[in-house]
Amino acid sequence: MHDEFLCHVTAYGTCDGRRIGVPLGTYRAPTLALALWWLRDRASWIAERLDPAPGGCAVPVGALVPVADTVADVPAQLRAWCADDARQELAADELSGGRLVRIAASDDTTEYELLAESVDAVRMQRTLPALVVTAP
């Protein structure tokens, strides 16, 4: 039943005292396998931009700065999620069951959120209130 999946990646931060979300990508996956692949790809993409591999690309001087040891290591968290077969299987089971999957990692300034949900489940949730009618 759950053949198609909506996937979103958003970064959240605070600006002028308000929480602001910046969309980093959206994908309508035609299969469960492609939805999971896209989430892993985007998690890796974020990790690589936050913590590039040495010698991987030319980074302008001053573009990267060390952070305190107390700051959460978002790139490591995202890479660990990508490499964890058990967590991948759990995400697949949740999506197959029509449930929303949310992967989030945050440091002291930004939260990175990856979401996926079944298109069929979204459609069912939207129509459910219209199907439920209370008797007078």
Side-chain angles (χ1 to χ4, degrees), residues 66-89:
V67 296
D69 290 338
T70 57
V71 174
D73 190 348
V74 170
Q77 292 172 9
L78 293 174
R79 288 178 177 124
W81 180 80
C82 290
D84 189 329
D85 291 337
R87 289 168 70 189
Q88 297 297 313
E89 190 172 323

Side-chain angles (χ1 to χ4, degrees), residues 11 16-17 27 29 48 69 74 91 114 118 130-131:
D16 201 21
Y27 176 57
E48 185 60 28
D69 290 338
V74 170
L114 297 95
S118 162
L131 296 175

